[in-house]
PDB file of all heavy atoms in Angstrom:
ATOM      1  N   VAL A 281    -128.313  98.166  25.396  1.00 96.00           N
ATOM      2  CA  VAL A 281    -127.709  99.400  24.870  1.00 96.00           C
ATOM      3  C   VAL A 281    -126.189  99.386  25.001  1.00 96.00           C
ATOM      4  O   VAL A 281    -125.472  99.781  24.081  1.00 96.00           O
ATOM      5  CB  VAL A 281    -128.304 100.641  25.585  1.00 96.00           C
ATOM      6  CG1 VAL A 281    -127.551 101.912  25.194  1.00 96.00           C
ATOM      7  CG2 VAL A 281    -129.782 100.788  25.260  1.00 96.00           C
ATOM      8  N   CYS A 282    -125.680  98.932  26.148  1.00 97.00           N
ATOM      9  CA  CYS A 282    -124.233  99.018  26.420  1.00 97.00           C
ATOM     10  C   CYS A 282    -123.480  97.707  26.213  1.00 97.00           C
ATOM     11  O   CYS A 282    -122.285  97.721  25.916  1.00 97.00           O
ATOM     12  CB  CYS A 282    -124.004  99.511  27.854  1.00 97.00           C
ATOM     13  SG  CYS A 282    -124.702 101.141  28.186  1.00 97.00           S
ATOM     14  N   ILE A 342    -135.368 114.454  31.060  1.00 98.00           N
ATOM     15  CA  ILE A 342    -134.328 114.489  30.021  1.00 98.00           C
ATOM     16  C   ILE A 342    -133.353 113.325  30.221  1.00 98.00           C
ATOM     17  O   ILE A 342    -132.947 112.654  29.268  1.00 98.00           O
ATOM     18  CB  ILE A 342    -133.581 115.838  30.050  1.00 98.00           C
ATOM     19  CG1 ILE A 342    -134.521 116.979  29.634  1.00 98.00           C
ATOM     20  CG2 ILE A 342    -132.354 115.811  29.140  1.00 98.00           C
ATOM     21  CD1 ILE A 342    -133.962 118.370  29.878  1.00 98.00           C
ATOM     22  N   GLY A 343    -132.992 113.081  31.485  1.00 98.00           N
ATOM     23  CA  GLY A 343    -132.083 111.974  31.791  1.00 98.00           C
ATOM     24  C   GLY A 343    -132.633 110.633  31.326  1.00 98.00           C
ATOM     25  O   GLY A 343    -131.933 109.854  30.658  1.00 98.00           O
ATOM     26  N   PHE A 344    -133.898 110.355  31.632  1.00 98.00           N
ATOM     27  CA  PHE A 344    -134.509 109.095  31.189  1.00 98.00           C
ATOM     28  C   PHE A 344    -134.465 108.961  29.666  1.00 98.00           C
ATOM     29  O   PHE A 344    -134.149 107.900  29.127  1.00 98.00           O
ATOM     30  CB  PHE A 344    -135.968 109.010  31.667  1.00 98.00           C
ATOM     31  CG  PHE A 344    -136.116 108.498  33.062  1.00 98.00           C
ATOM     32  CD1 PHE A 344    -136.840 109.220  34.010  1.00 98.00           C
ATOM     33  CD2 PHE A 344    -135.563 107.294  33.449  1.00 98.00           C
ATOM     34  CE1 PHE A 344    -137.000 108.748  35.306  1.00 98.00           C
ATOM     35  CE2 PHE A 344    -135.714 106.794  34.740  1.00 98.00           C
ATOM     36  CZ  PHE A 344    -136.436 107.528  35.667  1.00 98.00           C
ATOM     37  N   ALA A 345    -134.806 110.065  28.979  1.00 98.00           N
ATOM     38  CA  ALA A 345    -134.872 110.026  27.517  1.00 98.00           C
ATOM     39  C   ALA A 345    -133.505 109.793  26.879  1.00 98.00           C
ATOM     40  O   ALA A 345    -133.411 109.289  25.758  1.00 98.00           O
ATOM     41  CB  ALA A 345    -135.481 111.323  26.993  1.00 98.00           C
ATOM     42  N   LEU A 346    -132.427 110.136  27.589  1.00 98.00           N
ATOM     43  CA  LEU A 346    -131.076 109.978  27.050  1.00 98.00           C
ATOM     44  C   LEU A 346    -130.543 108.543  27.143  1.00 98.00           C
ATOM     45  O   LEU A 346    -129.608 108.174  26.419  1.00 98.00           O
ATOM     46  CB  LEU A 346    -130.103 110.915  27.789  1.00 98.00           C
ATOM     47  CG  LEU A 346    -130.186 112.409  27.458  1.00 98.00           C
ATOM     48  CD1 LEU A 346    -129.255 113.195  28.381  1.00 98.00           C
ATOM     49  CD2 LEU A 346    -129.813 112.657  25.998  1.00 98.00           C
ATOM     50  N   VAL A 347    -131.115 107.732  28.035  1.00 98.00           N
ATOM     51  CA  VAL A 347    -130.567 106.389  28.297  1.00 98.00           C
ATOM     52  C   VAL A 347    -130.376 105.558  27.020  1.00 98.00           C
ATOM     53  O   VAL A 347    -129.306 104.962  26.818  1.00 98.00           O
ATOM     54  CB  VAL A 347    -131.441 105.635  29.322  1.00 98.00           C
ATOM     55  CG1 VAL A 347    -131.055 104.151  29.397  1.00 98.00           C
ATOM     56  CG2 VAL A 347    -131.305 106.274  30.710  1.00 98.00           C
ATOM     57  N   PRO A 348    -131.360 105.493  26.106  1.00 97.00           N
ATOM     58  CA  PRO A 348    -131.166 104.648  24.910  1.00 97.00           C
ATOM     59  C   PRO A 348    -130.102 105.167  23.944  1.00 97.00           C
ATOM     60  O   PRO A 348    -129.720 104.455  23.018  1.00 97.00           O
ATOM     61  CB  PRO A 348    -132.549 104.675  24.228  1.00 97.00           C
ATOM     62  CG  PRO A 348    -133.504 105.160  25.261  1.00 97.00           C
ATOM     63  CD  PRO A 348    -132.723 106.075  26.149  1.00 97.00           C
ATOM     64  N   PHE A 349    -129.641 106.397  24.147  1.00 97.00           N
ATOM     65  CA  PHE A 349    -128.713 107.020  23.201  1.00 97.00           C
ATOM     66  C   PHE A 349    -127.286 107.121  23.749  1.00 97.00           C
ATOM     67  O   PHE A 349    -126.477 107.882  23.225  1.00 97.00           O
ATOM     68  CB  PHE A 349    -129.236 108.404  22.807  1.00 97.00           C
ATOM     69  CG  PHE A 349    -130.637 108.366  22.267  1.00 97.00           C
ATOM     70  CD1 PHE A 349    -131.706 108.752  23.049  1.00 97.00           C
ATOM     71  CD2 PHE A 349    -130.883 107.893  20.983  1.00 97.00           C
ATOM     72  CE1 PHE A 349    -133.009 108.700  22.563  1.00 97.00           C
ATOM     73  CE2 PHE A 349    -132.177 107.838  20.479  1.00 97.00           C
ATOM     74  CZ  PHE A 349    -133.243 108.233  21.274  1.00 97.00           C
ATOM     75  N   CYS A 350    -126.982 106.360  24.790  1.00 97.00           N
ATOM     76  CA  CYS A 350    -125.641 106.375  25.389  1.00 97.00           C
ATOM     77  C   CYS A 350    -125.070 104.962  25.360  1.00 97.00           C
ATOM     78  O   CYS A 350    -125.160 104.228  26.360  1.00 97.00           O
ATOM     79  CB  CYS A 350    -125.694 106.908  26.823  1.00 97.00           C
ATOM     80  SG  CYS A 350    -126.247 108.625  26.951  1.00 97.00           S
ATOM     81  N   PRO A 351    -124.473 104.527  24.233  1.00 96.00           N
ATOM     82  CA  PRO A 351    -124.027 103.137  24.105  1.00 96.00           C
ATOM     83  C   PRO A 351    -122.830 102.772  24.972  1.00 96.00           C
ATOM     84  O   PRO A 351    -122.588 101.598  25.226  1.00 96.00           O
ATOM     85  CB  PRO A 351    -123.676 103.015  22.609  1.00 96.00           C
ATOM     86  CG  PRO A 351    -123.392 104.415  22.166  1.00 96.00           C
ATOM     87  CD  PRO A 351    -124.272 105.297  22.983  1.00 96.00           C
ATOM     88  N   ASN A 352    -122.071 103.779  25.414  1.00 96.00           N
ATOM     89  CA  ASN A 352    -120.935 103.504  26.295  1.00 96.00           C
ATOM     90  C   ASN A 352    -121.412 103.479  27.742  1.00 96.00           C
ATOM     91  O   ASN A 352    -122.176 104.341  28.176  1.00 96.00           O
ATOM     92  CB  ASN A 352    -119.866 104.582  26.106  1.00 96.00           C
ATOM     93  CG  ASN A 352    -118.636 104.335  26.954  1.00 96.00           C
ATOM     94  OD1 ASN A 352    -118.642 104.594  28.150  1.00 96.00           O
ATOM     95  ND2 ASN A 352    -117.578 103.822  26.342  1.00 96.00           N
ATOM     96  N   MET A 355    -120.869 106.691  29.574  1.00 97.00           N
ATOM     97  CA  MET A 355    -121.736 107.782  29.127  1.00 97.00           C
ATOM     98  C   MET A 355    -123.057 107.792  29.891  1.00 97.00           C
ATOM     99  O   MET A 355    -123.695 108.830  30.056  1.00 97.00           O
ATOM    100  CB  MET A 355    -122.026 107.644  27.621  1.00 97.00           C
ATOM    101  CG  MET A 355    -120.868 107.996  26.704  1.00 97.00           C
ATOM    102  SD  MET A 355    -121.259 107.604  24.975  1.00 97.00           S
ATOM    103  CE  MET A 355    -122.638 108.717  24.676  1.00 97.00           C
ATOM    104  N   GLN A 356    -123.457 106.627  30.386  1.00 98.00           N
ATOM    105  CA  GLN A 356    -124.726 106.531  31.117  1.00 98.00           C
ATOM    106  C   GLN A 356    -124.695 107.311  32.434  1.00 98.00           C
ATOM    107  O   GLN A 356    -125.746 107.562  33.035  1.00 98.00           O
ATOM    108  CB  GLN A 356    -125.058 105.060  31.397  1.00 98.00           C
ATOM    109  CG  GLN A 356    -125.411 104.235  30.174  1.00 98.00           C
ATOM    110  CD  GLN A 356    -126.792 104.559  29.619  1.00 98.00           C
ATOM    111  OE1 GLN A 356    -127.598 105.232  30.257  1.00 98.00           O
ATOM    112  NE2 GLN A 356    -127.059 104.088  28.416  1.00 98.00           N
ATOM    113  N   PRO A 359    -127.069 110.610  32.037  1.00 98.00           N
ATOM    114  CA  PRO A 359    -128.504 110.458  32.265  1.00 98.00           C
ATOM    115  C   PRO A 359    -128.855 110.183  33.723  1.00 98.00           C
ATOM    116  O   PRO A 359    -129.828 110.749  34.247  1.00 98.00           O
ATOM    117  CB  PRO A 359    -128.885 109.259  31.387  1.00 98.00           C
ATOM    118  CG  PRO A 359    -127.838 109.154  30.371  1.00 98.00           C
ATOM    119  CD  PRO A 359    -126.589 109.709  30.969  1.00 98.00           C
ATOM    120  N   SER A 422    -135.361  99.529  26.363  1.00 96.00           N
ATOM    121  CA  SER A 422    -134.803 100.874  26.496  1.00 96.00           C
ATOM    122  C   SER A 422    -135.817 101.955  26.104  1.00 96.00           C
ATOM    123  O   SER A 422    -135.733 103.095  26.571  1.00 96.00           O
ATOM    124  CB  SER A 422    -133.529 101.019  25.656  1.00 96.00           C
ATOM    125  OG  SER A 422    -133.793 100.760  24.294  1.00 96.00           O
ATOM    126  N   ASN A 423    -136.796 101.609  25.257  1.00 97.00           N
ATOM    127  CA  ASN A 423    -137.834 102.583  24.903  1.00 97.00           C
ATOM    128  C   ASN A 423    -138.724 102.924  26.105  1.00 97.00           C
ATOM    129  O   ASN A 423    -139.348 103.994  26.139  1.00 97.00           O
ATOM    130  CB  ASN A 423    -138.704 102.054  23.762  1.00 97.00           C
ATOM    131  CG  ASN A 423    -137.984 102.082  22.428  1.00 97.00           C
ATOM    132  OD1 ASN A 423    -136.951 102.743  22.291  1.00 97.00           O
ATOM    133  ND2 ASN A 423    -138.507 101.369  21.440  1.00 97.00           N
ATOM    134  N   ILE A 426    -137.752 106.119  27.722  1.00 98.00           N
ATOM    135  CA  ILE A 426    -138.309 107.332  27.109  1.00 98.00           C
ATOM    136  C   ILE A 426    -139.721 107.568  27.630  1.00 98.00           C
ATOM    137  O   ILE A 426    -140.108 108.702  27.927  1.00 98.00           O
ATOM    138  CB  ILE A 426    -138.300 107.214  25.568  1.00 98.00           C
ATOM    139  CG1 ILE A 426    -136.854 107.082  25.067  1.00 98.00           C
ATOM    140  CG2 ILE A 426    -138.990 108.412  24.921  1.00 98.00           C
ATOM    141  CD1 ILE A 426    -136.736 106.832  23.575  1.00 98.00           C
TER     142      ILE A 426
END
Side-chain angles (χ1 to χ4, degrees):
V281 172
C282 300
I342 293 169
F344 276 127
L346 286 174
V347 169
F349 305 103
C350 297
N352 182 282
M355 287 173 63
Q356 291 287 348
S422 59
N423 286 345
I426 298 175

